[in-house]
Amino acid sequence: MNINILKFLRRPKFLGDSDIKPLHHVLFWSIYFLINTFRWSSIHNDFLLSLRTNLIGFPIHMFLAYLNAYYLMPKFIYTKKYFQYTIYILLALFGMLLLKFNLTYYLVSTDVMPEGPEEINSLTIGYAVQTMIGEVYVISFFTAIKLTIDWLRESSKLHDLEKRQLKTELRFLRSQVSPHFFFNTLNNIYSLTLEKSDQAPEVILKLSELMRYLLYATKKQRQDLTSEINCIRNYIDLERIRFDDSLRIDMNISGDLDNCKIAPMLLIPLVENCFKHGASKNIGEMKIVIEVLVTNGFMNFRVSNTIPNANKEFKYPVNSGGIGLSNVKKRLELGYAKNDYELSIYEENKMFNVILNLKVV
């Protein structure tokens, strides 16, 4: 999905709240009435005749349009009772025909169709067909507008629902740093306090900073890249306590990180993966390499760890990469355009490698 997906899912500005208010109905019929009146007055060259004809015809237009759009269609079309709908609409049109003929004949002119080539002063089949076709046109025009607005309203509601679901999913994914990490860190702090170690206050401070970042940064759509890197540093410092000198961690950062933005907590699962599937399962010398390079608005983030060799049957999950990598893949799909990132996962020289090229401007 595009990086601007949340903007895309917002309600279109021209749509407003999609509610058809009484004023909208008044404006629609007023404009339609004036256009029709002036149109027919130019044809007949008689404004008063056109005005009187439309004053009789428009209440009938309105009644049939509302009857169809607000009663007949919801009751029969939406429930797939097409035969009943056909019968009722034909009865309504026939009733309209009789009413319009008599009102026009007695209140306006005995020539009930002055626009025709000859005078019509009786209820003929030709008059009936033309009049009913005219009413069908008005009904269809009004119904099409209503259906369009209804579709826009439902589409807008769906967009709002998708936006809320997307925000919820992204917030959930951003918060999925392993709780085992916090339990292990608290146990380490407990051990340090029992030993009255000078490290205890520093460890508590780093844990506090990390938790503060997790609580507040995840509310933002984008975070400063420097803040994300500092979070990784705190995470690594806390994890170092669990391992002795057998664990070697190299972290190299280069390039201009200023004004660079990134989805918060996007990189932490990649680093956490190294400790969960690499260091914690290894015996002997262990190595984790983290490299960050920012050039031309893109960040190249590479994280590598020694493949566990304690159990020869153990196979590192290259395809899935565990929950951490699945989390990152999902967040990239939801929050970035396809051309804005590239994620590579592979094994090489007994090292498991994850490389993420990401647009950060």
Side-chain angles (χ1 to χ4, degrees), residues 161-175:
L161 178 60
E162 289 176 345
K163 183 175 69 174
R164 287 194 296 270
Q165 290 176 336
L166 179 63
K167 285 184 176 179
T168 301
E169 185 172 3
L170 283 172
R171 191 174 294 117
F172 171 72
L173 290 171
R174 287 197 294 253
S175 66

Side-chain angles (χ1 to χ4, degrees), residues 3 14 34 36-37 61-62 78 98 155 159 175 181 195-196 198 202 224 234 236 238 242 253 306 312-313 326 339 347:
I3 191 171
F14 71 87
L34 290 174
N36 221 43
T37 299
H61 294 334
M62 295 170 64
Y78 297 167
L98 295 176
S155 178
H159 288 165
S175 66
F181 162 76
E195 297 171 2
K196 299 184 189 283
D198 294 337
E202 182 181 355
D224 293 336
N234 285 332
I236 291 174
L238 291 172
R242 297 173 54 196
I253 300 172
T306 307
K312 294 182 180 180
E313 296 180 357
S326 298
N339 294 331
E347 291 182 11

